[in-house]
Amino acid sequence: MKALILAAGRGRRLQNLTAEKPKPSIKVCGVPILLRNFLILKKLGFDVAVVAGYKSEIIKELLKGEEVEFVHNDNIDRGNAYSVLCAEKILKNENVFVVLMGDHIFSEEFLTAVRDLALSEKSSAAAHSPRMTAIVCDSDAALDIEEATKIRTEDGSVADIGKNIPDWTYIDTGAFICTPHVFNILERAFSKKEKVEWSEIVREARMKTHKINAFWADIDTVEDLKNAENEILKSLVKLEDGIISKYLNRKISLRISKWLCSYDISPNVITSISFILSIISAFFFMSHAFIPYSYAIGGIIAQISSVIDGVDGEIARLKMRTTGFGGFYDSVLDRYADVFILSSILFAASYHFTHHLSHHEMLINISLFIAALTGASLVSYTASKFGEIYRDKIEKHEGIFRFIPAKRDERIFIIFVCAIFAEFNT
Amino acid sequence: MKALILAAGRGRRLQNLTAEKPKPSIKVCGVPILLRNFLILKKLGFDVAVVAGYKSEIIKELLKGEEVEFVHNDNIDRGNAYSVLCAEKILKNENVFVVLMGDHIFSEEFLTAVRDLALSEKSSAAAHSPRMTAIVCDSDAALDIEEATKIRTEDGSVADIGKNIPDWTYIDTGAFICTPHVFNILERAFSKKEKVEWSEIVREARMKTHKINAFWADIDTVEDLKNAENEILKSLVKLEDGIISKYLNRKISLRISKWLCSYDISPNVITSISFILSIISAFFFMSHAFIPYSYAIGGIIAQISSVIDGVDGEIARLKMRTTGFGGFYDSVLDRYADVFILSSILFAASYHFTHHLSHHEMLINISLFIAALTGASLVSYTASKFGEIYRDKIEKHEGIFRFIPAKRDERIFIIFVCAIFAEFNT
């Protein structure tokens, strides 16, 4: 399946942000809009072509090194419909293809729905008919109603489209599923006048509409940009997050990620930092005889490492650069961190320098330690084994067990609270 | 993809084994030939139809409760080609389908290759041409050359087929990829005479040949049956087996499985028995003060439990009844068994009733214990996580690390050896 991204136009000005640059190059959470859309499309299996025109060297630089086909729009004053016409040569043999506005941000969920619809059109008999589809959304899904392009439908087809039309039904999302028939319409339109906007083609083709209410956004103001970033950050929260992660750690880690994502820092470095902090916290737990408040300090550092443990994955997903190794490295270091922290607590509980523990006390300590370590390791092991065997997340099936605070974020938080408590009770 | 199994004939007599029963009902490793083939075909995504005739009630009983379509052959004296003709109604609308002899044993590897070939024929242009394929093998892949059906090819097509033909090239495996064109040939053949064998149709159709050298067998003698069972048992050895499993445990467990598979025992029961044996061995490790030779007994029981730990999976695979839960249950119990055994060793090493260990000695014991437990759990965790993320077996990528004896079979064996050694050094 091919996708054509229209990134040739000057676009409407975004205060200060695009004085010098085309809109697709604006960074959202550290990644230019065009690159973000491109990476999602690639992940979903699309072959991507990009029409460049205005400041095309900047557009090309954004996708440097990526597997993408560029189409040159030699006259950007002829409207954005002309960009599609420029791509006729590479699209005319496709049964079905997708056209996207290059200055809109689309979520992975949104583009997945577009792809699935396009694939079903392609495989169904509908592919032989030249009807095309404009993807729309309800008005409450648009960030800025006033600036949005509205669509009025009649009998399920586009009857009118524009910013200021009366009696509109839907908002245009800037995503379209087309067939090569669109080139007939384009040629007819350009035979009548010099400049044609894509919206005129949408109306002319009487495209049918299909509603997808997943996140997308057209960025016109700094406010829009902020809202879009918040939406993207929200989507990073994971199903397997425990209660502490959901209500505490993520609130902090998302802020850190938002700030960090504009820097060029590898998620694996953050994973390593979180691991090192765990070891430092273990060191503090063992140093109560030498360092004042070492339990409290250890607990706080452990909790900080737990927060940072979320940042690596967030940054990777924000930058669309998740790797298998990153996930593996993070998971395995977490297991070692658990061992260090729990062992240090066993040590702290067993080696008092004021008195020796009895063998009986020691037996209790070691038994509790074995139970804690086994439990911690089995929580992760069973989840991983379940995923390996059933290709599914155990979190969808845990039922009543989800109320047991046994996930890593919850375990570390319990250690943090107990460490503070222990500090002021010894 | 549909598969038609021909199980209507009387078949040649297998001494004593088929006096009363049709050949597809002979049990190989506890599973009737027909059921084994059916379960593999189902697993590979085939819709299976079975032609029954001779003692059809026995044939139907074999597949009771399974999702299968039965075709009745009302006159088994007309040759086995007539069985295929009986199935015309359910196969004539299939582009490509597979025909299998119901009294042959096919390995999963063999049928996978057949399926992949059939699928590629179906999707390629070749599907529009009526050429069909006889799956053949080299002479050294057949169990019994004398009894085998031979094929002579000319220009890649079957020129002659039979048990006693001169100048043959290949052995007929009893698997065929057909198109509905076969029904034209069948009708023509039956218009000329009353009884037609399938081999005549294969020659008449000038089927092309395709060589697959994976395991299959035609069972004619008790010797053949034994050989086939050994081949199937050999295929149970897993890629992830450690060196002890490969050269010691499997040799014993395969014998146990071969003996057990004719009984109706659930693999999960065997998993539970292996786990209980681990706990008993842990109990012996801790009882050195009360029970003579308890280290040696514990070590031997641990090693026995490790051998039996292989039987559950073997039985499940032998009986084609592997389940996700079975694999999960086995893996998780193994982790708990590891914890019990290692903890009992820590206890044995730390609680001498003749003298108390110093805190320094205790620290060393606990550190070694933590290292052992962490290592054991991480070996399994990393393998599982790798499988979850990369959908592949880590054993294919472990390189130099495969020489470290850290797999469960190897760890338990080391414990076994050390326990014997400890027994006679204390």
Side-chain angles (χ1 to χ4, degrees), chain B residues 170-226:
Chain B
Y170 296 118
I171 305 287
D172 161 40
T173 64
F176 306 88
I177 296 173
C178 296
T179 69
H181 178 62
V182 78
F183 297 113
N184 302 335
I185 300 171
L186 281 163
E187 273 154 24
R188 211 183 311 138
F190 278 104
S191 71
K192 287 182 205 147
K193 53 183 193 165
E194 187 64 12
K195 179 176 176 176
V196 181
E197 292 301 331
W198 177 248
S199 57
E200 298 172 51
I201 301 296
V202 172
R203 185 176 46 223
E204 199 60 38
R206 293 192 66 81
M207 289 192 184
K208 60 188 153 101
T209 56
H210 180 91
K211 194 167 71 178
I212 294 177
N213 272 343
F215 174 72
W216 70 275
D218 182 9
I219 307 295
D220 285 317
T221 64
V222 176
E223 187 71 15
D224 290 350
L225 186 62
K226 252 192 205 161

Side-chain angles (χ1 to χ4, degrees), chain B residues 294-311:
Chain B
S294 79
Y295 288 169
I297 296 170
I300 290 166
I301 294 176
Q303 177 58 24
I304 291 173
S305 90
S306 174
V307 170
I308 292 178
D309 191 29
V311 174

Side-chain angles (χ1 to χ4, degrees), chain A residues 325 331 335 381 384-385 390, chain B residues 325 335 381 384-385 390:
Chain A
F325 176 76
S331 301
R335 300 293 79 72
Y381 181 74
S384 169
K385 198 77 198 173
Y390 295 104
Chain B
F325 176 76
R335 300 294 78 71
Y381 181 75
S384 169
K385 198 78 198 173
Y390 295 104

Side-chain angles (χ1 to χ4, degrees), chain B residues 53-101:
Chain B
Y54 174 69
K55 304 223 174 186
S56 64
E57 66 292 349
I58 295 182
I59 295 291
K60 284 181 184 171
E61 184 67 26
L62 292 176
L63 298 179
K64 204 178 163 180
E66 303 290 350
E67 199 189 315
V68 60
E69 200 167 353
F70 281 106
V71 175
H72 191 67
N73 178 335
D74 51 9
N75 192 343
I76 59 170
D77 295 323
R78 300 190 68 184
N80 59 353
Y82 188 67
S83 284
V84 181
L85 190 59
C86 290
E88 177 170 7
K89 213 170 66 184
I90 61 167
L91 292 173
K92 65 183 175 194
N93 293 325
E94 302 291 315
N95 275 345
V96 172
F97 55 90
V98 171
V99 173
L100 299 169
M101 294 300 133

